């Protein structure tokens, strides 16, 4: 019934669109001349009535069809209400069939079709108001940004390295956006290394690597990453971006930003076409953002994944990094971002070199644009607080600045859910990771240290300075059940405050029976494991095949370095040196039991680089070794 009515209305619309009505049948000249005028008048009136009726029906049809089209567009703009005809499970992945789109692993052809379909429907997304656009631009770049900084952020796509050894890595060609790229990179590694159930073609070897010490290959990570398919890397990238955006949106919504000019061409999914369209395109003001940006909001992760898959060519373009940062800021909400920050007057891209601020990195890691890396918030008195990380994160953060005593990274960032860390230096962000989650596990000694340090930090009101009051110290002893001898307590309290390093040294010097942590074997707590460091910025390295023949040709590519890490047990330096002295002067050929323990616990000769100082903020007194050039964090 409804279908017939719809057909009738469409027919009426077609009839109304005819340029001339059908000619009425007329009498030949001279026939019935006396009555001809009257008959023709009646016929003309009937014809006008029919035409008016058709026009009324056509107008009604046009209104109904426009209403139906608007309803369809509204449904398309609300992914959570998209109708799904059928859901199938195929290879562990959920796919929509019938009227839907594949939720996982959408092929390139389907991505092209999705973009073309959206273009034809005119679904270009929502424009920001001029006020929002200006607020967004000033929040990111400030009021006195240089053209060089704008160029850095407008010429960095989100692209994987073409080099087989670093094929899992995102390449950085411009300075500045490394904070965005390194954070996305960390989440990509999480999906590639530890979320095998999310992919149909797990890389050979990853699932088998449960103990790094079992492998003798110096290039095991490179071997694994070179076997990754482009499809799998793309899926990991899309899931990572989706997770970060929903994290910024309180796990409820995600906003995806695009450039409106890229929707004008039906072949806009092709990289070369996007490159051509973006020739001469620049964003230099809030007005430019208002004209160019188109944003869409999603409440369904599946729909957001579909959209991100379709937009991969746009994110690979030179505008990719800035578009993702804008998406994250809009997902959080501009007012919420400003409320997160301690000083919202400063831009998120810092002068004079255009690097991403700590607030930017924290937003992408934790969903909050806080400026600090300690746990929770710090009371400055008079009702003033500064904010840090409020909960455990999936991907962590380490920084060279902590080794220089400029800040204190809290346990939430130091001990993330997965053994992956964004590493910060004075001017760059890189990524450190392990293939084995066991590097995060604590032995009995470390567990007790963590418990004592947490109780100590809870009483520390010095802003991470590492000292507490006498009253706070007695509370720590009560909370941890430590019964120190009276003379030790008096010695620690005689200055009116207690320093962590002195307190910890007392515990190490004191035997277990007296409440200390002294271990006569010297073996308690020793660890040996492998870490990998990835620096996405393209650097000159020697081509191995050419170098072997003596014809060294430098090539530009990211760097992946394997580090052998040895974390020594908790002995005191005096005890260790005493053991060495006894061994060297004994003159006995057969080693004593004490000598054997000391030699076994002696750390390997350490190589040094700034990255090692970062690692030691997570694993104190660790020693590191590697082959080839030192890992670079700049």
């Amino acid at each position: 019934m409804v279908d017939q009515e719809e057909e009738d209305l469409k027919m009426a619309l077609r009839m109304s669109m005819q340029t001339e009505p059908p000619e009425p049948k007329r009498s030949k000249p001279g026939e019935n001349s006396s009555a001809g005028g009257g008959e023709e008048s009646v016929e003309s009136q009937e014809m006008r009535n029919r035409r008016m009726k058709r026009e009324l029906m056509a107008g009604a049809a046009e209104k109904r069809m426009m209403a139906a089209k608007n309803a369809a567009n509204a449904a398309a703009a609300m992914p959570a209400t998209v109708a799904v005809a059928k859901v199938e499970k195929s290879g562990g992945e959920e796919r929509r069939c019938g009227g839907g789109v594949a939720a996982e692993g959408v092929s390139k052809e389907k991505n092209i079709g999705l973009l073309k379909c959206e273009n034809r429907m005119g679904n270009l997304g929502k424009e920001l108001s001029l006020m929002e656009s200006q607020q967004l631009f000033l929040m990111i770049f400030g009021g006195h940004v240089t053209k060089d900084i704008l160029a850095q952020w407008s010429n960095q796509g989100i692209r994987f390295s073409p080099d087989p050894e670093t094929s899992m890595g995102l390449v950085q060609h411009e300075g500045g956006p490394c904070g965005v790229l390194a954070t996305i990179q960390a989440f990509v590694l999480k999906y590639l290394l530890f979320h095998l159930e999310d992919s149909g073609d797990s890389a050979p070897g990853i699932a088998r690597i449960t103990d790094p010490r079992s492998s003798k290959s110096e290039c095991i990570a490179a071997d694994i990453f070179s076997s990754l398919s482009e499809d799998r890397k793309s899926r990991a990238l899309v899931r990572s971006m989706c997770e970060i955006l929903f994290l910024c949106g309180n796990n409820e919504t995600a906003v995806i930003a695009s450039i409106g000019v890229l929707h004008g061409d039906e072949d806009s999914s092709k990289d070369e076409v996007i490159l051509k369209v973006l020739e001469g395109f620049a964003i230099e003001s809030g007005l430019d953002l208002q004209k160019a940006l188109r944003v869409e909001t999603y409440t369904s992760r599946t729909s957001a994944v579909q959209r991100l898959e379709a937009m991969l060519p746009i994110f690979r373009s030179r505008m990719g990094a800035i578009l993702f940062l804008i998406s994250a800021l809009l997902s959080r909400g501009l007012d919420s971002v400003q409320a997160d920050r301690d000083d919202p007057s400063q831009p998120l891209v810092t002068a004079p070199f255009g690097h991403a601020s700590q607030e930017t990195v924290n937003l992408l890691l934790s969903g909050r644009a806080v400026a600090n890396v300690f746990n929770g918030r710090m009371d400055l008195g008079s009702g003033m607080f500064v904010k840090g990380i409020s909960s455990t994160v999936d991907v962590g953060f380490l920084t060279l600045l902590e080794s220089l005593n400029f800040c204190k990274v809290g346990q939430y960032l130091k001990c993330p859910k997965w053994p992956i860390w964004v590493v910060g230096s004075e001017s760059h962000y890189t990524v450190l990771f392990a293939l084995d989650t066991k590097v995060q596990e604590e032995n009995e000694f470390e567990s007790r240290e963590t418990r004592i340090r947490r109780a100590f930090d809870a009483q520390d009101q010095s802003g991470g300075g590492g000292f507490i009051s006498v009253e706070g110290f007695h509370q720590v002893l009560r909370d941890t059940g430590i019964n120190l001898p009276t003379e030790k307590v008096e010695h620690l309290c005689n200055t009116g405050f207690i320093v962590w390093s002195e307190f910890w040294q007392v515990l190490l010097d004191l035997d277990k029976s007296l409440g200390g942590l002294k271990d006569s074997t010297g073996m308690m707590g020793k660890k040996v494991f492998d870490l990998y460091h990835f620096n996405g910025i393209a650097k000159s390295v020697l081509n191995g095949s050419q170098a072997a023949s003596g014809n060294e040709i430098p090539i530009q590519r990211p760097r992946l370095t394997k580090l052998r890490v040895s974390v020594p047990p908790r002995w005191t330096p005096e005890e260790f040196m005493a053991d060495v002295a006894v061994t060297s002067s004994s003159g006995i050929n057969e080693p004593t039991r004490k000598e054997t323990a000391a030699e076994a616990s002696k750390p390997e000769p350490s190589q040094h680089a700034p990255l090692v100082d970062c690692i030691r903020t997570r694993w104190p007194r660790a020693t590191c070794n590697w082959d080839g050039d030192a890992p670079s964090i700049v």
Side-chain angles (χ1 to χ4, degrees):
M1 185 80 170
V2 175
D3 290 343
Q4 183 61 44
E5 181 182 3
E6 193 72 19
E7 286 298 321
D8 291 341
L9 288 171
K10 288 181 180 180
M11 181 178 293
L13 178 62
R14 288 195 296 270
M15 292 174 65
S16 71
M17 294 176 66
Q18 293 179 9
T19 57
E20 294 290 339
E23 280 291 320
K25 184 177 180 180
R26 296 179 181 273
S27 302
K28 293 180 181 180
E31 290 184 357
N32 301 322
S33 58
S34 63
E39 290 177 356
E40 184 174 349
S41 176
V42 173
E43 188 173 357
S44 298
Q45 183 64 39
E46 290 177 354
M47 183 179 67
R48 284 196 297 269
N49 290 340
R50 287 197 299 271
R51 186 168 60 223
M52 183 176 297
K53 184 178 181 179
R54 286 199 302 268
E55 288 174 354
L56 290 174
M57 292 177 65
E62 188 173 5
K63 288 182 180 179
R64 290 192 56 180
M65 293 177 71
M66 287 299 296
K69 182 178 180 181
N70 291 336
N73 288 343
M78 299 175 61
T81 62
V82 173
V84 179
K86 184 180 179 183
V87 176
E88 293 183 346
K89 294 284 185 178
S90 176
E93 298 177 354
E94 183 177 290
R95 297 182 179 273
R96 293 182 174 184
C97 303
V101 181
E104 310 292 351
V106 177
S107 66
K108 184 176 181 181
E109 291 77 15
K110 289 183 179 179
N111 289 343
I112 295 172
L114 181 57
L115 275 177
K116 288 182 177 180
C117 177
E118 289 179 349
N119 292 334
R120 286 193 297 268
M121 290 176 63
N123 186 17
L124 305 183
K126 170 182 170 288
E127 287 186 6
L128 295 180
S129 69
L130 182 57
M131 181 178 295
E132 287 176 308
S133 302
Q134 290 175 336
Q135 181 186 3
L136 179 61
F137 186 86
L138 291 175
M139 182 185 295
I140 298 174
F141 296 113
H144 301 90
V145 61
T146 66
K147 288 188 176 182
D148 288 342
I149 291 177
L150 290 174
Q152 289 174 3
W153 282 86
S154 299
N155 289 283
Q156 180 61 64
I158 304 175
R159 287 177 171 267
F160 285 104
S161 168
D163 177 59
E165 183 179 338
T166 57
S167 64
M168 85 303 170
L170 302 175
V171 184
Q172 181 183 349
H173 297 291
E174 297 285 343
C178 53
V180 174
L181 293 180
T183 309
I184 298 174
Q185 177 70 73
F187 278 87
V188 167
L189 287 169
K190 183 186 82 166
Y191 280 96
L192 290 179
L193 294 176
F194 304 114
H195 284 208
L196 299 180
E197 72 278 2
D198 283 346
S199 56
D201 57 334
S202 59
I206 290 181
R208 297 194 299 270
I209 299 177
T210 56
D211 184 356
R213 291 171 291 182
S214 66
S215 174
K216 296 182 180 180
S217 171
E218 295 299 319
C219 299
I220 183 67
D223 292 343
I224 291 171
F225 294 138
S226 63
S227 67
L228 295 172
S229 69
E230 291 299 320
D231 186 54
R232 182 164 181 232
K233 290 188 296 183
S234 295
R235 288 201 301 270
L237 176 59
V238 165
R239 288 183 178 88
S240 299
M241 292 194 295
C242 182
E243 180 177 353
I244 293 171
L245 295 181
F246 270 96
L247 184 64
C248 296
N250 292 317
N251 291 314
E252 296 175 355
T253 60
V255 176
I256 301 176
S258 184
I259 301 293
V261 69
L262 296 178
H263 291 278
D265 194 303
E266 291 203 352
D267 291 326
S268 61
S269 61
K270 295 181 180 179
D271 291 353
E272 59 272 18
V273 174
I274 292 177
L275 181 64
K276 184 176 180 180
V277 171
L278 287 176
E279 285 182 3
F281 178 78
I283 293 177
E284 298 180 350
S285 66
L287 181 60
D288 291 337
L289 278 181
Q290 197 269 336
K291 291 178 179 178
L293 274 189
R294 299 294 183 272
V295 298
E296 296 173 273
T297 302
Y298 293 86
T299 57
S300 163
R301 289 179 184 258
T302 300
S303 299
V305 164
Q306 293 173 14
R307 179 61 176 161
L308 289 167
E309 283 177 327
M311 281 187 59
L312 273 182
I314 297 176
F315 282 113
R316 284 196 297 263
S317 78
R318 65 178 179 87
M319 300 298 296
I322 185 62
L323 281 176
F324 186 77
L325 174 58
I326 289 172
S327 298
L329 293 172
L330 294 175
S331 295
R332 175 65 178 145
L334 301 187
D335 292 339
S336 296
V337 170
Q338 294 297 70
D340 290 338
R341 307 171 67 195
D342 293 336
D343 185 2
S345 67
Q346 297 299 314
L348 294 173
V349 172
T350 60
F353 303 112
H355 301 127
S357 65
Q358 188 65 51
E359 296 152 310
T360 302
V361 174
N362 285 348
L363 172 66
L364 303 182
L365 288 176
S366 70
R368 301 292 181 272
V370 295
N372 306 290
V373 291
F374 50 72
N375 286 2
R377 65 178 187 174
M378 187 180 300
D379 187 355
L380 301 180
S382 302
M384 295 181 62
F385 297 89
V386 288
K387 297 178 284 292
I389 305 301
S390 59
S391 61
T392 303
V393 294
D394 274 21
V395 171
F397 180 77
L398 304 174
T399 177
L400 182 65
L401 299 181
E402 181 175 8
S403 70
L404 301 174
N405 293 319
F406 285 113
C407 67
K408 173 68 177 177
V409 179
Q411 292 300 107
Y412 288 147
L413 288 175
K414 277 187 180 175
C415 303
K417 182 177 180 181
W418 302 100
I420 307 169
W421 298 265
V422 173
V423 177
S425 68
E426 304 98 322
S427 59
H428 191 44
Y429 293 97
T430 55
V431 181
L432 183 74
F433 63 97
L435 305 182
D436 188 357
T437 57
K438 290 181 180 179
V439 304
Q440 291 274 77
E441 295 177 0
E442 292 184 334
N443 55 36
E444 179 184 356
F445 188 88
E446 291 172 321
S447 178
R448 188 173 183 193
E449 179 191 4
T450 298
R451 188 165 58 89
I452 296 172
R453 185 61 197 251
R454 186 177 293 120
F456 188 95
D457 288 345
Q459 302 298 323
D460 187 354
Q461 298 298 319
S462 65
F467 59 89
I468 60 177
S469 65
V470 172
E471 293 79 5
F473 177 60
H474 285 290
Q475 185 63 45
V476 170
L477 297 181
R478 288 191 292 270
D479 291 344
T480 56
I482 296 175
N483 296 311
L484 291 179
T486 303
E487 63 273 16
K488 294 290 185 182
V489 175
E490 291 177 350
H491 171 72
L492 288 169
C493 295
N494 62 8
T495 60
F497 58 88
I498 291 82
V499 179
W500 165 257
S501 59
E502 294 179 359
F503 174 44
W504 183 244
Q505 191 65 54
V506 167
L507 293 176
L508 290 175
D509 291 341
L510 203 61
D511 194 81
K512 286 183 178 180
S513 61
L514 299 175
L517 297 170
K518 185 176 181 179
D519 173 32
S520 58
T521 67
M523 292 299 293
M524 183 168 61
K526 183 174 183 179
K527 283 185 172 184
V528 179
F529 53 87
D530 290 338
L531 293 176
Y532 294 85
H533 179 254
F534 177 75
N535 188 341
I537 199 162
K539 291 181 176 289
S540 292
V541 296
L542 295 180
N543 187 320
S545 60
Q546 297 293 335
S549 62
N551 185 17
E552 297 182 350
I553 301 177
I555 59 175
Q556 293 284 325
R557 69 178 186 184
R559 291 269 304 280
L560 178 66
T561 305
K562 177 184 176 182
L563 300 97
R564 184 74 160 180
V565 181
S566 177
V567 183
R570 305 289 185 166
W571 62 76
T572 65
E574 292 77 15
E575 287 177 318
F576 180 67
M577 294 306 296
D579 286 339
V580 174
V582 169
T583 302
S584 60
S585 61
S586 62
I588 301 175
N589 292 329
E590 292 294 328
T592 63
R593 180 175 299 178
K594 186 175 182 180
E595 177 186 346
T596 303
E599 288 297 325
S601 60
K602 184 177 179 179
E604 299 177 6
S606 176
Q607 296 170 275
H608 188 265
L611 176 62
V612 178
D613 294 328
C614 298
I615 291 173
R616 285 175 178 168
T617 64
R618 172 63 179 84
W619 292 279
R621 303 182 66 183
T623 61
C624 300
N625 300 86
W626 56 83
D627 290 335
D629 294 336
S632 172
I633 59 174
V634 296

